[in-house]
Amino acid sequence: MKNLSKILFLSILLSVALGQAQEEDPFAQDTTTPAEFSETTPADANNSMRPRAKRLPTDPGEFWIIGLTSLQWNEKLSVTQSGSSESSNMSLNGAGLTVEREFEKAQWGWSIGALIGAGRANSGPFANGVKVDRQTFKTYGINPRAFWKLSDQVNLGGTIYIYHRSLDLPSTSDVSSSAAKSTNAAIMADLSLRIFTDWDFYQAIGPLDEGAYLWKIGLNYRF
């Protein structure tokens, strides 16, 4: 998970740098050419000396968002046979389709969305030979989000991702297995970066139970 944290940190630095690069150059020369032989009245001189009112940014409005998202997280899997129990991490990797409704203000915004997806789980083998090998799982969830706009292209936020996953674990007459709760929630820090006019790159990471982390990476289209 250290590598995931480094990737998220580097992405934030890159995003902030891109946002700053798009600001006006403070050393750019003024190409405005004054009108020749123009007459200036005292009233015009007084008006030119008055400070201009700062123009407030407009409200960007509302958007629909459709995206493809990859999911990755770990759960603790325990296998019991003949009174002997053994535990190991189970890796879950999947992909999903997201639909969101986003509401943007001048400097901040929020959204609410849903995800449906599927993937594969792997764990083991254990000492008794039991293993989870590319076992299919399904998942769905909701993800309310709030964010702060660093620029028109970059925003940082937080997401509460509440999800349910269904997975068939190994079970026989003398073997039983159990994993983490099938319904869970993660509080995630996230980053959205505008890479094209209507396309955003999105990633989020947050803790789950017992030191595990959930990681999301996606590509979103807004309209």
Side-chain angles (χ1 to χ4, degrees):
M1 296 312 302
K2 292 183 178 179
N3 293 332
L4 302 185
S5 301
K6 290 179 180 178
I7 293 175
L8 181 60
F9 178 71
L10 292 175
S11 298
I12 294 174
L13 291 180
L14 176 61
S15 303
V16 174
L18 289 175
Q20 292 178 346
Q22 295 178 354
E23 295 179 353
E24 296 183 355
D25 185 357
F27 300 101
Q29 296 182 353
D30 186 3
T31 58
T32 304
T33 303
E36 296 182 358
F37 306 107
S38 60
E39 295 183 358
T40 302
T41 65
D44 293 335
N46 291 334
N47 290 334
S48 64
M49 297 177 63
R50 295 176 182 174
R52 294 182 178 181
K54 183 178 180 181
R55 180 177 297 176
L56 296 177
T58 58
D59 186 352
E62 304 176 5
F63 302 92
W64 282 102
I65 296 175
I66 297 178
L68 293 175
T69 300
S70 66
L71 302 166
Q72 193 277 325
W73 75 95
N74 293 330
E75 295 181 6
K76 184 178 180 180
L77 176 65
S78 298
V79 176
T80 301
Q81 183 179 27
S82 302
S84 177
S85 180
E86 185 179 358
S87 298
S88 181
N89 286 329
M90 177 172 60
S91 176
L92 297 96
N93 296 273
L97 175 67
T98 63
V99 178
E100 299 181 26
R101 183 64 168 170
E102 184 174 275
F103 306 87
E104 283 193 13
K105 299 298 181 181
Q107 292 294 331
W108 63 283
W110 73 94
S111 66
I112 181 69
L115 178 147
I116 183 170
R120 303 281 187 176
N122 294 276
S123 184
F126 293 87
N128 54 17
V130 176
K131 64 179 181 178
V132 178
D133 186 18
R134 296 179 59 82
Q135 181 66 41
T136 301
F137 71 87
K138 298 178 181 179
T139 183
Y140 55 87
I142 59 174
N143 49 285
R145 177 178 187 250
F147 58 89
W148 180 261
K149 298 169 66 175
L150 300 180
S151 69
D152 290 338
Q153 289 75 34
V154 183
N155 66 68
L156 293 174
T159 298
I160 302 176
Y161 181 53
I162 305 170
Y163 69 93
H164 175 83
R165 64 110 181 98
S166 59
L167 171 66
D168 293 329
L169 297 173
S171 179
T172 63
S173 57
D174 61 341
V175 174
S176 62
S177 56
S178 62
K181 296 176 292 185
S182 58
T183 300
N184 209 340
I187 300 177
M188 312 180 74
D190 59 31
L191 165 72
S192 181
L193 171 64
R194 185 72 46 81
I195 54 177
F196 300 109
T197 303
D198 300 317
W199 293 89
D200 297 342
F201 170 76
Y202 172 83
Q203 65 174 326
I205 187 171
L208 287 171
D209 299 331
E210 300 180 0
Y213 283 82
L214 189 149
W215 192 24
K216 298 171 64 179
I217 297 180
L219 186 65
N220 296 330
Y221 174 74
R222 59 177 55 233
F223 59 95

PDB file of all heavy atoms in Angstrom, residues 67-91:
ATOM      1  N   GLY A  67     -18.800   6.729 -15.999  1.00  0.00           N
ATOM      2  CA  GLY A  67     -17.394   6.367 -15.980  1.00  0.00           C
ATOM      3  C   GLY A  67     -17.148   4.877 -15.824  1.00  0.00           C
ATOM      4  O   GLY A  67     -18.033   4.106 -15.441  1.00  0.00           O
ATOM      5  N   LEU A  68     -15.919   4.499 -16.154  1.00  0.00           N
ATOM      6  CA  LEU A  68     -15.417   3.143 -15.924  1.00  0.00           C
ATOM      7  C   LEU A  68     -14.395   3.210 -14.797  1.00  0.00           C
ATOM      8  O   LEU A  68     -13.494   4.055 -14.820  1.00  0.00           O
ATOM      9  CB  LEU A  68     -14.778   2.574 -17.186  1.00  0.00           C
ATOM     10  CG  LEU A  68     -15.723   2.304 -18.358  1.00  0.00           C
ATOM     11  CD1 LEU A  68     -14.923   1.860 -19.590  1.00  0.00           C
ATOM     12  CD2 LEU A  68     -16.740   1.233 -17.988  1.00  0.00           C
ATOM     13  N   THR A  69     -14.534   2.332 -13.813  1.00  0.00           N
ATOM     14  CA  THR A  69     -13.705   2.384 -12.610  1.00  0.00           C
ATOM     15  C   THR A  69     -13.135   1.010 -12.305  1.00  0.00           C
ATOM     16  O   THR A  69     -13.851   0.000 -12.384  1.00  0.00           O
ATOM     17  CB  THR A  69     -14.525   2.868 -11.398  1.00  0.00           C
ATOM     18  OG1 THR A  69     -15.032   4.174 -11.661  1.00  0.00           O
ATOM     19  CG2 THR A  69     -13.667   2.911 -10.144  1.00  0.00           C
ATOM     20  N   SER A  70     -11.857   0.975 -11.941  1.00  0.00           N
ATOM     21  CA  SER A  70     -11.245  -0.253 -11.433  1.00  0.00           C
ATOM     22  C   SER A  70     -11.226  -0.202  -9.907  1.00  0.00           C
ATOM     23  O   SER A  70     -11.054   0.861  -9.318  1.00  0.00           O
ATOM     24  CB  SER A  70      -9.828  -0.423 -11.978  1.00  0.00           C
ATOM     25  OG  SER A  70      -8.978   0.589 -11.472  1.00  0.00           O
ATOM     26  N   LEU A  71     -11.399  -1.360  -9.291  1.00  0.00           N
ATOM     27  CA  LEU A  71     -11.442  -1.485  -7.831  1.00  0.00           C
ATOM     28  C   LEU A  71     -10.414  -2.510  -7.386  1.00  0.00           C
ATOM     29  O   LEU A  71     -10.242  -3.554  -8.032  1.00  0.00           O
ATOM     30  CB  LEU A  71     -12.830  -1.939  -7.368  1.00  0.00           C
ATOM     31  CG  LEU A  71     -14.035  -1.069  -7.761  1.00  0.00           C
ATOM     32  CD1 LEU A  71     -15.322  -1.843  -7.527  1.00  0.00           C
ATOM     33  CD2 LEU A  71     -14.038   0.204  -6.948  1.00  0.00           C
ATOM     34  N   GLN A  72      -9.760  -2.213  -6.263  1.00  0.00           N
ATOM     35  CA  GLN A  72      -8.821  -3.178  -5.693  1.00  0.00           C
ATOM     36  C   GLN A  72      -8.811  -3.034  -4.188  1.00  0.00           C
ATOM     37  O   GLN A  72      -8.685  -1.924  -3.659  1.00  0.00           O
ATOM     38  CB  GLN A  72      -7.409  -2.947  -6.262  1.00  0.00           C
ATOM     39  CG  GLN A  72      -6.410  -4.066  -5.981  1.00  0.00           C
ATOM     40  CD  GLN A  72      -5.758  -3.957  -4.604  1.00  0.00           C
ATOM     41  OE1 GLN A  72      -5.511  -2.859  -4.121  1.00  0.00           O
ATOM     42  NE2 GLN A  72      -5.490  -5.078  -3.979  1.00  0.00           N
ATOM     43  N   TRP A  73      -8.988  -4.145  -3.477  1.00  0.00           N
ATOM     44  CA  TRP A  73      -8.877  -4.128  -2.026  1.00  0.00           C
ATOM     45  C   TRP A  73      -8.592  -5.527  -1.513  1.00  0.00           C
ATOM     46  O   TRP A  73      -8.687  -6.516  -2.244  1.00  0.00           O
ATOM     47  CB  TRP A  73     -10.134  -3.541  -1.377  1.00  0.00           C
ATOM     48  CG  TRP A  73     -11.360  -4.416  -1.339  1.00  0.00           C
ATOM     49  CD1 TRP A  73     -11.776  -5.218  -0.311  1.00  0.00           C
ATOM     50  CD2 TRP A  73     -12.364  -4.544  -2.366  1.00  0.00           C
ATOM     51  NE1 TRP A  73     -12.958  -5.834  -0.627  1.00  0.00           N
ATOM     52  CE2 TRP A  73     -13.338  -5.430  -1.867  1.00  0.00           C
ATOM     53  CE3 TRP A  73     -12.530  -4.014  -3.636  1.00  0.00           C
ATOM     54  CZ2 TRP A  73     -14.469  -5.801  -2.616  1.00  0.00           C
ATOM     55  CZ3 TRP A  73     -13.640  -4.365  -4.374  1.00  0.00           C
ATOM     56  CH2 TRP A  73     -14.588  -5.241  -3.869  1.00  0.00           C
ATOM     57  N   ASN A  74      -8.216  -5.620  -0.241  1.00  0.00           N
ATOM     58  CA  ASN A  74      -7.918  -6.885   0.416  1.00  0.00           C
ATOM     59  C   ASN A  74      -8.885  -7.131   1.570  1.00  0.00           C
ATOM     60  O   ASN A  74      -9.364  -6.190   2.210  1.00  0.00           O
ATOM     61  CB  ASN A  74      -6.488  -6.909   0.960  1.00  0.00           C
ATOM     62  CG  ASN A  74      -5.444  -6.900  -0.135  1.00  0.00           C
ATOM     63  OD1 ASN A  74      -5.674  -7.408  -1.231  1.00  0.00           O
ATOM     64  ND2 ASN A  74      -4.293  -6.313   0.147  1.00  0.00           N
ATOM     65  N   GLU A  75      -9.161  -8.391   1.821  1.00  0.00           N
ATOM     66  CA  GLU A  75      -9.938  -8.797   2.975  1.00  0.00           C
ATOM     67  C   GLU A  75      -9.228  -9.966   3.659  1.00  0.00           C
ATOM     68  O   GLU A  75      -8.502 -10.728   3.016  1.00  0.00           O
ATOM     69  CB  GLU A  75     -11.353  -9.243   2.567  1.00  0.00           C
ATOM     70  CG  GLU A  75     -12.208  -8.142   1.988  1.00  0.00           C
ATOM     71  CD  GLU A  75     -13.601  -8.632   1.629  1.00  0.00           C
ATOM     72  OE1 GLU A  75     -13.922  -9.802   1.950  1.00  0.00           O
ATOM     73  OE2 GLU A  75     -14.380  -7.856   1.037  1.00  0.00           O
ATOM     74  N   LYS A  76      -9.446 -10.080   4.946  1.00  0.00           N
ATOM     75  CA  LYS A  76      -8.879 -11.197   5.689  1.00  0.00           C
ATOM     76  C   LYS A  76      -9.774 -12.417   5.537  1.00  0.00           C
ATOM     77  O   LYS A  76     -10.967 -12.372   5.819  1.00  0.00           O
ATOM     78  CB  LYS A  76      -8.733 -10.837   7.167  1.00  0.00           C
ATOM     79  CG  LYS A  76      -8.062 -11.923   7.996  1.00  0.00           C
ATOM     80  CD  LYS A  76      -7.909 -11.484   9.439  1.00  0.00           C
ATOM     81  CE  LYS A  76      -7.234 -12.567  10.273  1.00  0.00           C
ATOM     82  NZ  LYS A  76      -7.079 -12.148  11.695  1.00  0.00           N
ATOM     83  N   LEU A  77      -9.193 -13.530   5.072  1.00  0.00           N
ATOM     84  CA  LEU A  77      -9.921 -14.783   4.878  1.00  0.00           C
ATOM     85  C   LEU A  77      -9.431 -15.815   5.885  1.00  0.00           C
ATOM     86  O   LEU A  77      -8.228 -16.046   6.014  1.00  0.00           O
ATOM     87  CB  LEU A  77      -9.717 -15.305   3.457  1.00  0.00           C
ATOM     88  CG  LEU A  77     -10.354 -16.656   3.133  1.00  0.00           C
ATOM     89  CD1 LEU A  77     -11.875 -16.573   3.201  1.00  0.00           C
ATOM     90  CD2 LEU A  77      -9.901 -17.145   1.757  1.00  0.00           C
ATOM     91  N   SER A  78     -10.368 -16.416   6.608  1.00  0.00           N
ATOM     92  CA  SER A  78     -10.044 -17.457   7.597  1.00  0.00           C
ATOM     93  C   SER A  78     -10.647 -18.779   7.148  1.00  0.00           C
ATOM     94  O   SER A  78     -11.825 -18.841   6.786  1.00  0.00           O
ATOM     95  CB  SER A  78     -10.581 -17.079   8.978  1.00  0.00           C
ATOM     96  OG  SER A  78      -9.985 -15.892   9.448  1.00  0.00           O
ATOM     97  N   VAL A  79      -9.838 -19.829   7.183  1.00  0.00           N
ATOM     98  CA  VAL A  79     -10.276 -21.174   6.798  1.00  0.00           C
ATOM     99  C   VAL A  79     -10.103 -22.100   8.000  1.00  0.00           C
ATOM    100  O   VAL A  79      -9.040 -22.143   8.620  1.00  0.00           O
ATOM    101  CB  VAL A  79      -9.472 -21.700   5.599  1.00  0.00           C
ATOM    102  CG1 VAL A  79      -9.865 -23.138   5.285  1.00  0.00           C
ATOM    103  CG2 VAL A  79      -9.690 -20.806   4.386  1.00  0.00           C
ATOM    104  N   THR A  80     -11.161 -22.825   8.325  1.00  0.00           N
ATOM    105  CA  THR A  80     -11.147 -23.729   9.478  1.00  0.00           C
ATOM    106  C   THR A  80     -11.427 -25.150   9.011  1.00  0.00           C
ATOM    107  O   THR A  80     -12.383 -25.403   8.267  1.00  0.00           O
ATOM    108  CB  THR A  80     -12.214 -23.315  10.509  1.00  0.00           C
ATOM    109  OG1 THR A  80     -11.953 -21.971  10.926  1.00  0.00           O
ATOM    110  CG2 THR A  80     -12.175 -24.233  11.725  1.00  0.00           C
ATOM    111  N   GLN A  81     -10.572 -26.070   9.481  1.00  0.00           N
ATOM    112  CA  GLN A  81     -10.747 -27.489   9.166  1.00  0.00           C
ATOM    113  C   GLN A  81     -10.343 -28.321  10.382  1.00  0.00           C
ATOM    114  O   GLN A  81      -9.250 -28.168  10.913  1.00  0.00           O
ATOM    115  CB  GLN A  81      -9.902 -27.888   7.961  1.00  0.00           C
ATOM    116  CG  GLN A  81     -10.093 -29.352   7.543  1.00  0.00           C
ATOM    117  CD  GLN A  81      -9.270 -29.713   6.326  1.00  0.00           C
ATOM    118  OE1 GLN A  81      -8.231 -29.108   6.075  1.00  0.00           O
ATOM    119  NE2 GLN A  81      -9.733 -30.686   5.556  1.00  0.00           N
ATOM    120  N   SER A  82     -11.270 -29.175  10.824  1.00  0.00           N
ATOM    121  CA  SER A  82     -11.022 -30.069  11.966  1.00  0.00           C
ATOM    122  C   SER A  82     -10.547 -29.293  13.194  1.00  0.00           C
ATOM    123  O   SER A  82      -9.619 -29.723  13.904  1.00  0.00           O
ATOM    124  CB  SER A  82      -9.999 -31.148  11.592  1.00  0.00           C
ATOM    125  OG  SER A  82     -10.452 -31.888  10.475  1.00  0.00           O
ATOM    126  N   GLY A  83     -11.155 -28.132  13.433  1.00  0.00           N
ATOM    127  CA  GLY A  83     -10.812 -27.338  14.608  1.00  0.00           C
ATOM    128  C   GLY A  83      -9.577 -26.495  14.455  1.00  0.00           C
ATOM    129  O   GLY A  83      -9.248 -25.699  15.350  1.00  0.00           O
ATOM    130  N   SER A  84      -8.836 -26.629  13.350  1.00  0.00           N
ATOM    131  CA  SER A  84      -7.635 -25.841  13.120  1.00  0.00           C
ATOM    132  C   SER A  84      -7.972 -24.710  12.157  1.00  0.00           C
ATOM    133  O   SER A  84      -8.576 -24.928  11.102  1.00  0.00           O
ATOM    134  CB  SER A  84      -6.525 -26.714  12.536  1.00  0.00           C
ATOM    135  OG  SER A  84      -5.377 -25.936  12.243  1.00  0.00           O
ATOM    136  N   SER A  85      -7.564 -23.488  12.521  1.00  0.00           N
ATOM    137  CA  SER A  85      -7.900 -22.311  11.724  1.00  0.00           C
ATOM    138  C   SER A  85      -6.631 -21.648  11.186  1.00  0.00           C
ATOM    139  O   SER A  85      -5.598 -21.605  11.865  1.00  0.00           O
ATOM    140  CB  SER A  85      -8.694 -21.307  12.562  1.00  0.00           C
ATOM    141  OG  SER A  85      -9.025 -20.169  11.810  1.00  0.00           O
ATOM    142  N   GLU A  86      -6.731 -21.134   9.976  1.00  0.00           N
ATOM    143  CA  GLU A  86      -5.615 -20.448   9.332  1.00  0.00           C
ATOM    144  C   GLU A  86      -6.165 -19.223   8.595  1.00  0.00           C
ATOM    145  O   GLU A  86      -7.241 -19.282   8.004  1.00  0.00           O
ATOM    146  CB  GLU A  86      -4.903 -21.378   8.354  1.00  0.00           C
ATOM    147  CG  GLU A  86      -3.649 -20.781   7.735  1.00  0.00           C
ATOM    148  CD  GLU A  86      -2.961 -21.755   6.792  1.00  0.00           C
ATOM    149  OE1 GLU A  86      -3.443 -22.896   6.647  1.00  0.00           O
ATOM    150  OE2 GLU A  86      -1.933 -21.359   6.189  1.00  0.00           O
ATOM    151  N   SER A  87      -5.398 -18.129   8.633  1.00  0.00           N
ATOM    152  CA  SER A  87      -5.858 -16.886   8.024  1.00  0.00           C
ATOM    153  C   SER A  87      -4.840 -16.379   7.006  1.00  0.00           C
ATOM    154  O   SER A  87      -3.639 -16.606   7.134  1.00  0.00           O
ATOM    155  CB  SER A  87      -6.084 -15.802   9.084  1.00  0.00           C
ATOM    156  OG  SER A  87      -7.093 -16.193   9.999  1.00  0.00           O
ATOM    157  N   SER A  88      -5.363 -15.668   6.008  1.00  0.00           N
ATOM    158  CA  SER A  88      -4.511 -15.068   4.992  1.00  0.00           C
ATOM    159  C   SER A  88      -5.287 -13.933   4.319  1.00  0.00           C
ATOM    160  O   SER A  88      -6.503 -13.821   4.472  1.00  0.00           O
ATOM    161  CB  SER A  88      -4.097 -16.102   3.944  1.00  0.00           C
ATOM    162  OG  SER A  88      -3.254 -15.508   2.963  1.00  0.00           O
ATOM    163  N   ASN A  89      -4.565 -13.095   3.597  1.00  0.00           N
ATOM    164  CA  ASN A  89      -5.221 -12.019   2.867  1.00  0.00           C
ATOM    165  C   ASN A  89      -5.845 -12.547   1.579  1.00  0.00           C
ATOM    166  O   ASN A  89      -5.272 -13.397   0.895  1.00  0.00           O
ATOM    167  CB  ASN A  89      -4.233 -10.907   2.520  1.00  0.00           C
ATOM    168  CG  ASN A  89      -3.869 -10.069   3.715  1.00  0.00           C
ATOM    169  OD1 ASN A  89      -4.673  -9.883   4.623  1.00  0.00           O
ATOM    170  ND2 ASN A  89      -2.650  -9.545   3.733  1.00  0.00           N
ATOM    171  N   MET A  90      -7.008 -12.021   1.253  1.00  0.00           N
ATOM    172  CA  MET A  90      -7.675 -12.327  -0.007  1.00  0.00           C
ATOM    173  C   MET A  90      -7.722 -11.043  -0.829  1.00  0.00           C
ATOM    174  O   MET A  90      -8.190 -10.006  -0.374  1.00  0.00           O
ATOM    175  CB  MET A  90      -9.093 -12.858   0.235  1.00  0.00           C
ATOM    176  CG  MET A  90      -9.873 -13.135  -1.039  1.00  0.00           C
ATOM    177  SD  MET A  90     -11.462 -13.969  -0.740  1.00  0.00           S
ATOM    178  CE  MET A  90     -12.272 -12.746   0.314  1.00  0.00           C
ATOM    179  N   SER A  91      -7.200 -11.115  -2.048  1.00  0.00           N
ATOM    180  CA  SER A  91      -7.143  -9.954  -2.931  1.00  0.00           C
ATOM    181  C   SER A  91      -8.352  -9.957  -3.854  1.00  0.00           C
ATOM    182  O   SER A  91      -8.660 -10.965  -4.501  1.00  0.00           O
ATOM    183  CB  SER A  91      -5.852  -9.989  -3.745  1.00  0.00           C
ATOM    184  OG  SER A  91      -5.811  -8.930  -4.674  1.00  0.00           O
TER     185      SER A  91
END
